[in-house]
Amino acid sequence: MRAAPSQEEVRRHNLGTLLRHVHLRGPTSRAELTASMGLNRSTIGALTADLVAAGLVTEEVPPAQGRAGRPSLVVRPLAERVYAYAFCLEVDRIVAARVGLGGVVLDRRELARPRGERPAPKVVAPFAEFVRDVEKGVPADAVCVGSAAAVSGMVRKEDGTVQLCEAGWVDTTFTAAVAEALSRTRGAVAPLEVRNAADLAALAEHSRGVAVDCDNVIYLYGDAGISGGVIAGGRPITGHGGHGGEVGHMVVNPQGRSCGCGSKGCWETEIGESALIRAAGRDGTGREAVLAVVDAAGRGDAMAQAALRQVGDWLGFGVANLVNIFNPELVIFGGTLRDVYLSSAAQVRGRLTRMVLVAARDHVRLRTPSLGDDAALLGAADLAFEGLLTDPLDSSANPP
Ligand SMILES: [Zn+2]
């Protein structure tokens, strides 16, 4: 039998729970913390004092609310003092940000990226440049607690090796390249964590976005391909090597087109950007080309409307399968799938009505992301804060 946790272990666990609460929900009164954590007022007071002493939160008297009695102090994370670096490598852009405790974006830079660009050191160089520039303005008493990157590609869990879905950039030691680039900057950015962008976006929407309070969530993201993040029972499904949730390569049409992965008739060959653009009789790639089809359909272009109906039907086909497998409360459409879904919701819903088991169909809701295009970036920041949130007084994460 496992021994009961010691008083010290309980205290550390509670410190982490309290800090995570204000990190995700923002400034919170002691009274609300008392209620949500189920602890008594003096315990909350002692925990807060420890976090104040560690330089992680501050306590403030809230503005007068015209009520009698002493107001409950508000606990606020010290975003300016405790921060992490978050990086996002996508098919068409890269984003770097310095994010304060509480998920506050303090500095942010976004650059367009040519598709298929390589080698890795060239791709990641702007991350290091960003850190170098930003660090010049960071207050001397501020502390970086970690860094993480979201990559729109397949990320091997054990060593962060990245397989981009773009042709020709396979098995790149992305993690090593970023770590090497960052090692030449002043910021204490190690350790670097790397995860799939859709997985991190799903986690961010789950912990601070549209899927808060939903423990079964499917997040779909469209760019050049289709990626997905699945949360089941409150936990991300990553699979053995970190490649779980690659829903874009679920085969839906054995008579379909060849896919970049080597298979045929994958879902992304029917709903990805090139499928839509081709069906609309147009050229081009990227979000602008997708939005041009959506715009044209809105203005009455019959070919664009037919293309969206066709792609929407396949979108619903795949979502129906996923709903039958995972029984989610929420399906979220991110990236270009957001616009495709909004323009073809009737087709998507039609497929769900015909294909999904009644028991699973009743409560599933279809939504667009509430964190927008920065969901993966914020998910990366949360990942970088994870060590601190798990054990706020751990020496490796705690500011001196
Ligand atoms: Zn495929």
Side-chain angles (χ1 to χ4, degrees), residues 249 259 261 266:
H249 301 285
C259 179
C261 73
C266 293

Side-chain angles (χ1 to χ4, degrees), residues 288-348:
E288 280 179 21
V290 171
L291 293 184
V293 176
V294 171
D295 277 356
R299 285 185 276 102
D301 181 321
M303 204 158 169
Q305 288 173 343
L308 277 165
R309 279 197 300 274
Q310 178 190 320
V311 168
D313 188 54
W314 279 114
L315 179 58
F317 186 98
V319 169
N321 279 317
L322 294 173
V323 171
N324 278 336
I325 297 168
F326 292 106
N327 186 199
E329 298 138 270
L330 212 61
V331 179
I332 306 169
F333 299 91
T336 51
L337 278 187
R338 174 187 181 278
D339 303 282
V340 170
Y341 160 67
L342 289 174
S343 306
S344 64
Q347 280 69 37
V348 176

Side-chain angles (χ1 to χ4, degrees), residues 138-150:
V138 172
D141 68 339
V143 178
C144 177
V145 296
S147 60

Side-chain angles (χ1 to χ4, degrees), residues 246-251 257-269:
E246 286 294 337
V247 294
H249 301 285
M250 168 171 70
V251 176
R257 290 175 175 265
S258 297
C259 179
C261 73
S263 182
K264 200 176 170 192
C266 293
W267 197 22
E268 72 176 40
T269 67

Side-chain angles (χ1 to χ4, degrees), residues 88-284:
C88 197
L89 172 62
E90 298 177 17
V91 177
D92 294 314
R93 62 168 195 166
I94 66 168
V95 189
R98 188 170 72 96
V99 181
L101 187 63
V104 181
V105 176
L106 301 168
D107 302 284
R108 182 183 184 283
R109 188 178 298 169
E110 176 175 336
L111 294 170
R113 170 179 176 251
R115 284 191 183 183
E117 184 187 44
R118 51 196 167 138
K122 184 163 177 251
V123 175
V124 303
F127 292 151
E129 198 182 297
F130 171 80
V131 172
R132 258 196 313 273
D133 289 351
V134 162
E135 284 290 320
K136 289 175 197 155
V138 172
D141 68 339
V143 178
C144 177
V145 296
S147 60
V151 178
S152 140
M154 294 181 38
V155 181
R156 193 160 65 200
K157 212 161 42 179
E158 66 186 78
D159 59 0
T161 295
V162 168
Q163 257 191 347
L164 289 190
C165 45
E166 305 154 55
W169 205 49
V170 166
D171 280 356
T172 295
T173 49
F174 173 82
T175 309
V178 179
E180 158 67 17
L182 295 180
S183 70
R184 284 174 267 125
T185 65
R186 186 192 78 117
V189 287
L192 175 79
E193 300 267 0
V194 183
R195 294 278 198 291
N196 174 270
D199 287 346
L200 287 176
L203 283 171
E205 292 287 352
H206 172 60
S207 52
R208 55 171 79 243
V210 68
V212 166
D213 298 329
C214 294
D215 275 347
N216 298 280
V217 180
I218 294 175
Y219 178 94
L220 302 171
Y221 188 84
D223 49 30
I226 302 294
S227 50
V230 179
I231 293 173
R235 291 175 169 275
I237 290 188
T238 58
H240 171 69
H243 306 316
E246 286 294 337
V247 294
H249 301 285
M250 168 171 70
V251 176
V252 295
N253 183 3
Q255 272 75 52
R257 290 175 175 265
S258 297
C259 179
C261 73
S263 182
K264 200 176 170 192
C266 293
W267 197 22
E268 72 176 40
T269 67
E270 298 292 351
I271 66 167
E273 96 188 4
S274 57
L276 178 72
I277 294 164
R278 191 176 51 239
R282 290 161 175 258
D283 294 322

